[in-house]
Amino acid sequence: MCGIAGAISFVEDMREDMKIYENMQRALLRRGPDQRGMFMSREAALIHTRLAVIDIDGGRQPMSFGRYTIVYNGELYNTAELRGELSEDFDFDTHSDTEVVLKSYIKWGSACVERFNGIFAFAVYDEQEHRVFLARDRIGVKPLFYYDTGSKLIFASELPALLEHPDVPHEIDERGAAELLLMAPGRTMGCGVIRGVEEIRPAYCGYYTAEGLKLREYWRLRAYELHESFEQTAEHVRELVLDSIRRQLVSDVPVCTFLSGGLDSSLISSVAAAELKKQGRQLSTFSVDYRDNDKYFQKSHFQPDSDPEYITCMAEYLGTDHHWTVVDTPELIDALDEATEARGLPGMADVDASLLLFCREIKKYGTVALSGECADEIFGGYPWYRDKNIRMTDGFPWAQSTAYRKRFLCDDYAARINAEDYVYSAYRNTADSAEKLDTDSPLEARMREMTELNFKWFMQTLLDRKDRMSMYSGLEVRVPFCDYRIAEYLYNVPWEYKDYMGREKGLLREAMKEWLPEKVLWRKKSPYPKTHNPAFLEGVTAKLRKILDEGGEKLTQLVKREELEKLLRHEEQVQWYGQLMNLPQTIAFFIQLNYWLKRFDIKLR
């Protein structure tokens, strides 16, 4: 797990920009605090910072073999199988997956990515062919942004590192404004928000040559007929989930798990605890809570109960070495700026900030953690999958707030952006891209659309959050439910199977019932915990009030001051995004937006 960056040109001499590359590398040090390296030639500058997890000594990067040099961020979970295939053609000097990725590319070319089971973003420079191969994992767990000047390609794991290059503009145009105020914390897939900045999309790869960058899609969710009974499907799911979790426990450093007391993290913790027990080791588990949440917690449709009693139940059931992180309101508010720094964009407000603080505490104990993200998207766990009215509503089910959001656009951008068209066309294009069968019922066809929408939008927002908040503390967080084999299989499982017993993720519960106590197995879904302390709303209100009182010039160039004033009067309670972003989080989002505009000196076009 690492940070990567670089620049490629077949016109300019890359060796003349050493200071720039050092600055880019410095911006990535939090992603890779253990080792750093740089490869320089006339055509290519390849930059690396390393978080050492596999083969601590042998996995240093950039790694070269003959005419090829790689910088790689990620983890392969089928390294052993690939090394076995490659051993007919190559000797191996390390047991790192980096060497396997490089030699897979040498043997199979661009088709190598179709053989990988893992999370990755990497670049391979071929000195003889004068080209660079770039690729990103199928699901989009690991990031890779780029900017094409026309004569040079600049790339980096994160936007702050990319912005260290003077050729990359610190500007947004109407597209960036629309992303920030109509979509955020979501983001159109492939859009880097900054003018001219793009992101290689999940499951895309391609070459940069003197003719430019040409990318292709190498994987997507495909529709096919599933001829299995419910019992066979449950068995198939159980095998896939167990295999994915077990593969992702491989590490040369200690592995721990997040534990929220919900279905997904509890399943991962249960399997991990059993595997470590075979080795005579005890699993460490980690949970987050908020000061005084027991006093202020209020049940809602989205959060029917709080986590602590279920966490305690699981920790005792598994006999783990359990650790609590308790976040207080002042430090949560203080961390909003740092969370923006980590994401490189304004994000999910306190939901980001709390995860940042949580990961910082986990890092004191270990380097690798497993988390339960993406089960809800793949197994249909969210309320918008199961509420018959919401799931048939035209538009993104987690953000029915376009009319409210567009009020915040300053007059200039409001005149240049058709808010409804921008959001609806993004929704419609994604829904229409879902592959279907002629035999699909209207319900099955819609559920395929829902999966595609969640896969390409909501899940990407959470994966961005997970990657940036964890890697900012040098913590690698793996996501077993993001195994592409699980995703492509579940895409074709009938909705009546997924909705077994009328319960969210009913199929997953049934398939894994032997791994959990009944109390946790059938617990109603509850999202990532947030603070319920009224002091948070008071605190963010005071902070945004201060920003406006002191001028707030950056923020009010983009956002209408009068709408921010209304927000501070708490006149409306509009759901900004998903289950967790309401009035306090909306105020906190604008605090983050202000910080981002100032921190990166963003200009408006």
Side-chain angles (χ1 to χ4, degrees):
M1 286 300 158
C2 315
I4 65 172
I8 316 295
S9 177
F10 305 102
V11 179
E12 304 173 35
D13 188 341
M14 294 294 93
R15 294 168 296 186
E16 296 177 357
D17 296 328
M18 275 299 297
K19 183 63 176 176
I20 294 170
Y21 304 134
E22 288 170 1
N23 291 341
M24 294 177 74
Q25 186 178 59
R26 194 175 299 112
L28 291 169
L29 283 178
R30 282 184 169 273
R31 287 189 76 89
D34 298 332
Q35 297 165 2
R36 67 181 83 177
M38 200 178 295
F39 168 88
M40 297 295 303
S41 74
R42 180 180 179 82
E43 294 179 336
L46 300 179
I47 302 159
H48 195 262
T49 64
R50 185 178 183 214
L51 180 66
V53 173
I54 300 288
D55 195 353
I56 310 302
D57 295 322
R60 294 177 181 272
Q61 296 186 50
M63 182 180 287
S64 297
F65 185 79
R67 73 197 212 207
Y68 304 96
T69 302
I70 188 172
V71 282
Y72 161 70
N73 167 30
E75 205 77 67
L76 285 191
Y77 304 126
N78 61 338
T79 298
E81 295 96 317
L82 289 169
R83 186 182 283 114
E85 283 190 72
L86 292 165
S87 61
E88 298 174 7
D89 301 281
F90 300 101
D91 292 326
F92 283 85
D93 299 317
T94 75
H95 68 271
S96 73
D97 53 342
T98 306
E99 187 176 7
V100 170
V101 172
L102 178 57
K103 290 178 176 175
S104 293
Y105 173 74
I106 295 169
K107 180 174 176 63
W108 294 304
S110 67
C112 67
V113 291
E114 295 160 38
R115 295 171 176 262
F116 295 160
N117 179 350
I119 54 178
F120 55 81
F122 66 90
V124 179
Y125 169 57
D126 183 337
E127 190 172 22
Q128 180 176 304
E129 293 294 327
H130 305 286
R131 64 183 184 179
V132 172
F133 178 70
L134 299 158
R136 194 166 171 222
D137 66 76
R138 291 173 177 86
I139 309 293
V141 178
K142 289 290 134 187
L144 189 56
F145 294 92
Y146 67 90
Y147 181 81
D148 192 343
T149 69
S151 62
K152 176 166 56 186
L153 187 77
I154 307 159
F155 65 89
S157 294
E158 295 179 354
L159 287 170
L162 201 66
L163 287 168
E164 288 290 337
H165 199 293
D167 288 352
V168 180
H170 290 229
E171 298 175 350
I172 58 168
D173 53 19
E174 58 264 29
R175 184 190 187 200
E179 291 290 319
L180 289 167
L181 290 181
L182 302 178
M183 298 298 198
R187 184 161 51 85
T188 300
M189 194 173 281
C191 177
V193 181
I194 302 291
R195 184 176 66 82
V197 172
E198 303 289 335
E199 185 176 24
I200 292 182
R201 298 184 182 195
Y204 272 72
C205 65
Y207 287 98
Y208 181 71
T209 66
E211 282 71 50
L213 180 64
K214 295 180 181 176
L215 299 169
R216 69 175 177 90
E217 185 179 45
Y218 67 86
W219 179 87
R220 61 169 298 135
L221 293 173
R222 297 289 184 189
Y224 60 80
E225 291 278 4
L226 187 72
H227 300 290
E228 293 181 355
S229 66
F230 177 80
E231 291 72 21
Q232 291 170 323
T233 302
E235 175 62 26
H236 199 154
V237 166
R238 182 160 52 253
E239 291 172 358
L240 285 170
V241 170
L242 288 174
D243 185 63
S244 179
I245 296 170
R246 287 165 177 160
R247 284 178 181 272
Q248 297 194 28
L249 289 169
V250 174
S251 172
D252 290 346
V253 295
V255 175
C256 61
T257 65
F258 288 16
L259 181 60
S260 71
L263 176 68
D264 312 324
S265 66
S266 296
L267 281 175
I268 291 170
S269 297
S270 183
V271 177
E275 291 299 307
L276 290 183
K277 190 175 181 180
K278 293 176 187 176
Q279 304 166 22
R281 294 191 288 155
Q282 182 185 31
L283 176 68
S284 292
T285 50
F286 293 83
S287 302
V288 65
D289 199 7
Y290 301 85
R291 186 80 62 205
D292 294 329
N293 246 19
D294 54 341
K295 186 191 302 184
Y296 294 109
F297 180 80
Q298 293 181 338
K299 292 184 178 182
S300 70
H301 176 64
F302 290 137
Q303 287 193 298
D305 47 30
S306 57
D307 293 336
E309 91 176 83
Y310 297 93
I311 291 168
T312 302
C313 171
M314 278 305 302
E316 291 175 354
Y317 178 76
L318 298 176
T320 66
D321 176 23
H322 190 68
H323 304 265
W324 283 95
T325 296
V326 179
V327 178
D328 204 357
T329 302
E331 65 176 326
L332 189 59
I333 295 171
D334 288 344
L336 289 170
D337 290 350
E338 200 171 12
T340 309
E341 186 92 27
R343 191 186 268 261
L345 287 166
M348 298 185 78
D350 59 321
V351 187
D352 278 6
S354 61
L355 183 59
L356 182 79
L357 296 169
F358 185 33
C359 288
R360 182 173 297 162
E361 288 302 307
I362 298 173
K363 177 62 177 179
K364 295 175 181 177
Y365 298 88
T367 301
V368 179
L370 272 62
S371 178
E373 274 101 345
C374 306
D376 287 304
E377 289 85 354
I378 291 169
F379 285 89
Y382 291 121
W384 48 77
Y385 275 103
R386 306 188 65 256
D387 185 303
K388 294 177 183 178
N389 294 320
I390 296 176
R391 74 185 178 206
M392 299 310 293
T393 299
D394 230 11
F396 294 115
W398 52 84
Q400 296 281 314
S401 53
T402 304
Y404 176 66
R405 283 169 170 253
K406 74 175 185 178
R407 287 167 21 194
F408 289 90
L409 279 166
C410 68
D411 290 338
D412 179 37
Y413 281 131
R416 291 154 61 185
I417 299 166
N418 186 319
E420 287 80 7
D421 282 357
Y422 191 90
V423 176
Y424 185 75
S425 63
Y427 157 76
R428 193 69 264 163
N429 290 339
T430 306
D432 290 345
S433 72
E435 191 167 296
K436 303 166 189 172
L437 299 176
D438 293 340
T439 54
D440 284 343
S441 67
L443 174 60
E444 289 297 339
R446 180 55 177 168
M447 298 318 290
R448 289 193 194 273
E449 291 181 355
M450 290 292 287
T451 300
E452 190 82 354
L453 287 163
N454 279 269
F455 210 73
K456 290 186 174 178
W457 287 89
F458 199 77
M459 191 166 84
Q460 295 303 317
T461 306
L462 298 184
L463 288 174
D464 275 0
R465 167 180 172 260
K466 185 275 310 172
D467 175 80
R468 308 306 191 278
M469 298 308 121
S470 60
M471 293 300 288
Y472 192 74
S473 296
L475 177 72
E476 175 193 335
V477 178
R478 299 175 180 177
V479 277
F481 287 109
C482 268
D483 189 307
Y484 77 92
R485 300 169 303 163
I486 297 175
E488 62 187 13
Y489 178 69
L490 264 293
Y491 187 67
N492 293 285
V493 169
W495 175 247
E496 66 173 304
Y497 287 8
K498 295 178 190 175
D499 197 38
Y500 177 68
M501 292 184 66
R503 291 299 306 272
E504 73 276 1
K505 295 179 287 190
L507 170 61
L508 180 61
R509 295 176 195 271
E510 177 64 19
M512 303 299 292
K513 62 185 178 183
E514 296 176 5
W515 289 90
L516 296 176
E518 288 285 313
K519 177 177 180 175
V520 176
L521 179 67
W522 295 104
R523 181 191 178 191
K524 186 171 173 57
K525 175 180 166 49
S526 189
Y528 179 85
K530 68 175 183 178
T531 181
H532 293 267
N533 194 326
F536 181 72
L537 176 57
E538 295 166 11
V540 293
T541 298
K543 187 164 184 172
L544 184 55
R545 175 78 271 159
K546 184 179 180 184
I547 290 168
L548 294 181
D549 287 348
E550 292 176 352
E553 290 86 0
K554 277 283 188 182
L555 184 61
T556 53
Q557 285 177 28
L558 176 60
V559 184
K560 279 186 178 175
R561 178 181 284 269
E562 55 265 38
E563 292 300 328
L564 293 171
E565 294 286 356
K566 286 182 191 175
L567 190 66
L568 290 177
R569 291 196 294 271
H570 306 168
E571 293 177 356
E572 296 176 271
Q573 288 273 353
V574 178
Q575 206 72 27
W576 185 261
Y577 189 87
Q579 305 163 73
L580 297 176
M581 292 189 71
N582 206 312
L583 175 62
Q585 290 73 34
T586 305
I587 295 172
F589 171 80
F590 284 110
I591 292 170
Q592 290 193 306
L593 178 56
N594 178 70
Y595 177 83
W596 181 76
L597 291 167
K598 291 176 66 177
R599 165 65 179 84
F600 297 104
D601 191 24
I602 303 297
K603 296 176 175 57
L604 278 57
R605 281 175 60 109

